[in-house]
Amino acid sequence: MDDYNLYKEELRKNKTIKVTELLLKNISLNGEKAQLVKTIEELNELSVALAKHLNGAENYENITEEMADVLIMIKQLELIFGLKEDVKEWRERKLYRICEFIEGRNENL
């Protein structure tokens, strides 16, 4: 088994702690400001990939890669700002709004 697959197996065993630990080390090594800049870069790269898709490119692998980068950066933002629970609360509120919207649309059909 290569190093990457060994890493994946170890990560699966204790995912939450390992990911948080890894991201905290990354923030510590690079600094919060650098990670904020990196977040902006990754969001822009995802925007470009999506724009290319809208223009006819079949770039699902690129979109997938950029989505993974953005999700990792969002987890780092939660750690930097200490907003994990707040983000969870807002996510639930937004999902509830989507439910209300869908129900409202269904009533009009």
Side-chain angles (χ1 to χ4, degrees), residues 66-79:
E66 298 308 336
M67 286 176 65
D69 288 340
V70 167
L71 289 170
I72 290 167
M73 297 313 298
I74 287 172
K75 290 296 180 191
Q76 289 185 73
L77 291 177
E78 288 178 346
L79 294 168

Side-chain angles (χ1 to χ4, degrees), residues 18-65:
K18 292 285 184 181
V19 171
T20 299
E21 183 180 304
L22 179 67
L23 296 178
L24 285 169
K25 284 181 183 178
N26 194 45
I27 293 164
S28 178
L29 286 171
N30 294 309
E32 291 180 2
K33 184 176 180 181
Q35 293 313 101
L36 297 177
V37 170
K38 185 69 173 171
T39 300
I40 294 167
E41 290 173 5
E42 297 299 348
L43 289 165
N44 285 328
E45 290 175 12
L46 178 57
S47 295
V48 168
L50 293 171
K52 287 180 180 178
H53 176 74
L54 289 173
N55 288 321
E58 291 191 21
N59 58 341
Y60 300 108
E61 186 173 338
N62 182 232
I63 290 170
T64 304
E65 178 183 353

Side-chain angles (χ1 to χ4, degrees), residues 82-93:
L83 296 173
K84 184 176 181 177
E85 291 304 315
D86 292 335
V87 170
K88 183 179 176 183
E89 176 67 29
W90 274 104
R91 181 178 175 269
E92 289 171 2
R93 288 182 191 185

